């Protein structure tokens, strides 16, 4: 139980703010408090697939400067499921055993995997198959990992989207325009809903609530009739066209969501005559300096993950619940997808502020 441990850490899936802060917290706590060794694995599980495994021993003075920086200095990937890994000849191969061997070649006692629900499901499958002592930490700007109330990266993304709305108010008002801001979040509308409320949007469109274009245009016109001749619309990337089509960018295997902002702009101009402009925030939502809240969450999760390893409690994911860090079995943590609750507090808040959500429920409040 008290033997000096050698632990590995990797980041998997899309990057986000706060990842480096987790790596730093794990490294500091493991070295300074327990005197363990920490090994940073390159590019998610790809580092364990390489021979020799691509990993570096981490030191406190090396990780400290990364506290504020988003991205991950270990590198990551959201491609290449090890159980169906795309090979150069176009075939798919099961490379899971190479990753498991890589972990054992490094002589690790435990592995901390930082990822969203998809990455954590893959890491868990590898852990079960290969006797890997895994602890998971949830990260994603989408904030859609089942049980945890917060995932690393979400707060920074909301800050960036809110700041964009703050900036757009002035130019929208100056030119009497409808400004449409398209944000990420995949199938969940958390970023749009949170930033929309914080940034004073007039219309918030999320995948969890169906909209009608006529309701959006009515809101814009009502505002115009009250002399408020500009409007701010924030829309999640997975919101469909009115007829239910999901818009994607590119024609490659890795199709990405995008295009709903432009679609809405054209329709709104057509139906209301309003001049529209579109801002697609894209990957800016994952960049820059991490928010203090993400750094705090990352630090708390990192320390808690080390504590789980000390207690040899594996196959667990750390969570933020009821104002503190807890842990639950990974399988349970990722079982449910966390979408926006269409009758939850924040939706009620938006309606209470008179924000139009595009559906038929009309607020009595003028926005
Ligand atoms: O899951 C995080 C996320 O940023 C989504 O919000 C977005 O749809 C997607 O990743 C973008 O992926 P990529 O970095 O591959 O373009």
């Amino acid at each position: 139980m008290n033997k000096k441990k050698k632990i590995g850490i990797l980041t998997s899936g899309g990057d986000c703010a706060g990842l480096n802060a987790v790596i730093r917290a794990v490294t500091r706590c493991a070295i300074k408090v327990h005197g363990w060794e920490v090994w940073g694995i390159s590019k998610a599980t790809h580092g364990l697939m390489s021979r020799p495994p691509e990993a570096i021993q981490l030191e406190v003075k090396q990780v400290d400067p990364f506290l504020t920086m988003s991205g991950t200095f270990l590198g990551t990937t959201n491609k290449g499921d090890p159980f169906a890994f795309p090979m150069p000849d176009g075939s798919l191969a099961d490379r899971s055993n190479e990753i498991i061997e890589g972990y054992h070649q490094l002589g690790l006692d435990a592995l901390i995997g930082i990822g969203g629900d998809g990455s954590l499901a893959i890491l868990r499958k590898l852990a079960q198959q290969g006797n890997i002592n895994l602890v998971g930490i949830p990260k994603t700007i989408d904030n859609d990992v089942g049980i945890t109330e917060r995932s690393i990266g979400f707060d920074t993304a909301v800050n960036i989207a809110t700041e964009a709305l703050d900036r757009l108010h002035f130019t929208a008002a100056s030119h009497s325009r409808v400004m449409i801001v398209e944000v990420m979040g995949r199938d969940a509308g958390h970023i749009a809903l949170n930033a929309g409320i914080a940034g004073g949007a007039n219309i918030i469109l999320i995948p969890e609530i169906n909209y009608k274009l006529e309701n959006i245009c009515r809101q814009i016109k009502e505002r115009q009739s009250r002399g408020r001749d500009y409007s701010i619309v924030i829309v999640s990337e997975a919101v469909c066209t009115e007829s239910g089509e999901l818009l994607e960018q590119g024609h490659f295997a890795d199709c990405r969501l995008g295009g709903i902002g432009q679609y809405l702009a054209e329709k709104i101009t057509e139906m209301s005559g309003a001049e529209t402009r579109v801002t697609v925030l894209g990957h800016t939502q994952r960049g820059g300096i991490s928010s203090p809240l993400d750094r705090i969450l990352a630090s708390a999760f990192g320390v808690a993950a080390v504590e789980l390893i000390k207690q040899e409690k594996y196959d667990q994911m750390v969570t933020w619940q009821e104002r503190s860090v807890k842990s639950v079995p990974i399988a349970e943590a990722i079982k449910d997808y966390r979408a926006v609750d269409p009758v939850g507090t924040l939706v009620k808040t938006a309606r209470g502020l008179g924000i139009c959500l595009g559906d038929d429920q009309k607020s009595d409040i003028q926005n």
Side-chain angles (χ1 to χ4, degrees), residues 14 78-79 140-142 184-186 237 256-257 283 286:
N78 57 5
K79 296 191 180 58
T140 167
I141 65 166
D142 308 339
M184 283 185 167
R186 285 220 81 88
E237 61 182 357
R256 280 163 285 120
L257 296 173
H283 294 80
R286 303 200 324 213

Side-chain angles (χ1 to χ4, degrees), residues 50-320:
S50 304
R51 289 297 172 272
E54 262 183 69
I56 45 163
Q57 187 170 358
L58 302 178
E59 303 292 344
V60 171
K61 67 173 188 305
Q62 176 192 9
V63 295
D64 267 351
F66 288 104
L67 172 63
T68 60
M69 277 182 227
S70 57
T72 161
F73 79 90
L74 292 177
T76 188
T77 177
N78 57 5
K79 296 191 180 58
D81 175 353
F83 294 93
F85 196 85
M87 302 302 283
D89 66 359
S91 64
L92 295 176
D94 180 351
R95 300 190 63 184
S96 55
N97 281 333
E98 293 169 53
I99 293 167
I100 292 163
E101 266 169 40
Y103 168 86
H104 292 294
Q105 271 184 23
L106 284 173
L108 298 175
D109 294 301
L111 176 68
I112 294 177
I114 314 166
D117 49 1
S119 298
L120 289 173
I122 288 173
L123 288 171
R124 179 166 194 267
K125 203 168 157 192
L126 289 165
Q128 302 278 298
Q129 182 179 314
N131 211 13
I132 294 174
N133 293 326
L134 178 68
V135 170
I137 297 183
K139 66 87 214 169
T140 167
I141 65 166
D142 308 339
N143 208 32
D144 57 359
V145 177
I147 227 162
T148 186
E149 285 158 18
R150 290 194 158 270
S151 292
I152 293 160
F154 173 63
D155 185 63
T156 305
V158 170
N159 278 318
I160 292 165
T162 303
E163 192 193 331
L165 296 190
D166 295 345
R167 288 169 187 262
L168 288 168
H169 273 282
F170 304 110
T171 172
S174 306
H175 285 267
S176 307
R177 285 172 172 160
V178 174
M179 290 292 187
I180 299 161
V181 181
E182 182 181 308
V183 293
M184 283 185 167
R186 285 220 81 88
D187 304 327
H190 297 291
I191 298 177
L193 183 57
N194 282 263
I197 291 171
N202 309 108
I203 297 159
I204 300 176
L205 302 174
I206 56 175
E208 295 84 350
I209 297 179
N210 290 331
Y211 70 91
K212 286 187 189 152
L213 286 164
E214 75 179 76
N215 293 339
I216 297 170
C217 292
R218 187 182 314 115
Q219 175 87 349
I220 292 167
K221 283 191 169 152
E222 269 176 18
R223 281 176 55 78
Q224 285 168 342
S225 70
R226 284 182 277 112
R228 314 212 57 186
D229 55 2
Y230 74 97
S231 290
I232 305 283
V233 182
I234 185 165
V235 58
S236 296
E237 61 182 357
V239 167
C240 293
T241 64
E242 199 176 34
S243 59
E245 190 195 348
L246 185 66
L247 298 178
E248 291 177 323
Q249 296 282 306
H251 304 282
F252 309 102
D254 63 331
C255 253
R256 280 163 285 120
L257 296 173
I260 188 64
Q262 190 56 38
Y263 163 85
L264 289 170
E266 285 164 21
K267 291 290 176 193
I268 290 169
T269 301
E270 206 177 288
M271 290 173 67
S272 71
E275 189 179 5
T276 52
R277 290 289 185 273
V278 184
T279 304
V280 180
L281 293 183
H283 294 80
T284 61
Q285 292 158 97
R286 303 200 324 213
I289 302 290
S290 297
S291 72
L293 188 56
D294 268 333
R295 287 181 232 168
I296 294 164
L297 191 66
S299 302
F301 278 174
V303 168
V306 170
E307 181 58 28
L308 284 171
I309 294 173
K310 184 177 161 241
Q311 292 172 16
E312 302 192 343
K313 268 180 86 180
Y314 301 120
D315 197 20
Q316 296 278 310
M317 185 188 90
V318 295
T319 60
W320 186 262

